[in-house]
Amino acid sequence: MPICMYTIAMIDEIDRKLIDMLQGNARLSNAEMAEAVGLTVSSVHERVKKLERKGVIKGYVAVLDPDKLGKPLLAFLRLTVSSHESAQTSIRALCESEPDILECHNVAGEDCFILKIRAEGPKQLERLLSAIRNSTDTGRSVTNIVLSSYKESSRVAPAPMEQGD
């Protein structure tokens, strides 16, 4: 029996093009997208609404420059905990309450969690790390501070369509 079952929303090539356009610029109008894919504005509107209802499109965001918002320091924290079951609740609660923890992933392998953190500087990072370590029975933590980034994206390319789809 497989560990995880994924439900893949049925999307066609036009949906793929719409998704790609929206990931590049979520402020495109339905008219602009309709012209690009060769459909009517109402058809594009309905397709986008359908993608939203299916949960393929979860929301729309503005992409911000963290440096210009006073959060230039980017770090990743690899965390190992003594009791994984009890840690999940406390780590989840801390992540939801702390806006500078951008991502938290429960992972398989040597570590239990990987967190992506944005901070004003070393002092704020130290405060966050202390709060994280104190929130649960931490076995080990490893912090990696990013010196520069070559690619940072939230774009997701849909899985290729199978022949016959």
Side-chain angles (χ1 to χ4, degrees):
M1 181 175 194
I3 295 172
C4 295
M5 295 297 289
Y6 296 103
T7 303
I8 299 174
M10 298 303 292
I11 57 174
D12 63 15
E13 195 55 37
I14 291 175
D15 289 339
R16 290 170 187 284
K17 289 178 183 176
L18 294 173
I19 289 167
D20 187 56
M21 285 188 283
L22 287 171
Q23 286 188 101
N25 180 1
R27 297 185 75 177
L28 286 174
S29 70
N30 287 333
E32 291 169 307
M33 291 188 293
E35 185 176 327
V37 297
L39 292 178
T40 65
V41 173
S42 60
S43 293
V44 166
H45 176 77
E46 187 52 42
R47 280 177 174 265
V48 171
K49 289 297 175 197
K50 187 176 177 183
L51 290 167
E52 290 171 349
R53 283 191 304 272
K54 287 181 175 181
V56 174
I57 298 174
K58 293 169 56 173
Y60 300 90
V61 298
V63 179
L64 306 175
D65 184 335
D67 292 345
K68 292 180 180 170
L69 294 172
K71 301 290 174 117
L73 194 145
L74 174 61
F76 290 90
L77 173 65
R78 296 176 20 229
L79 190 63
T80 304
V81 295
S82 301
S83 172
H84 196 237
E85 294 299 317
S86 64
Q88 285 187 34
T89 303
S90 58
I91 292 289
R92 181 177 291 161
L94 179 67
C95 290
E96 289 174 1
S97 69
E98 181 54 66
D100 292 326
I101 300 174
L102 303 181
E103 297 176 14
C104 178
H105 305 276
N106 182 355
V107 298
E110 185 179 339
D111 302 311
C112 299
F113 300 96
I114 298 176
L115 286 71
K116 180 179 179 180
I117 299 168
R118 275 279 174 194
E120 296 165 13
K123 289 289 183 197
Q124 186 200 12
L125 178 61
E126 182 180 24
R127 182 193 63 75
L128 274 168
L129 294 176
S130 180
I132 292 164
R133 291 177 185 132
N134 291 331
S135 73
T136 188
D137 190 12
T138 303
R140 180 178 63 92
S141 67
V142 176
T143 305
N144 294 291
I145 295 176
V146 175
L147 301 175
S148 60
S149 299
Y150 301 111
K151 180 179 181 180
E152 192 171 4
S153 176
S154 61
R155 289 180 84 128
V156 178
M161 292 177 53
E162 293 183 18
Q163 296 297 338
D165 283 350

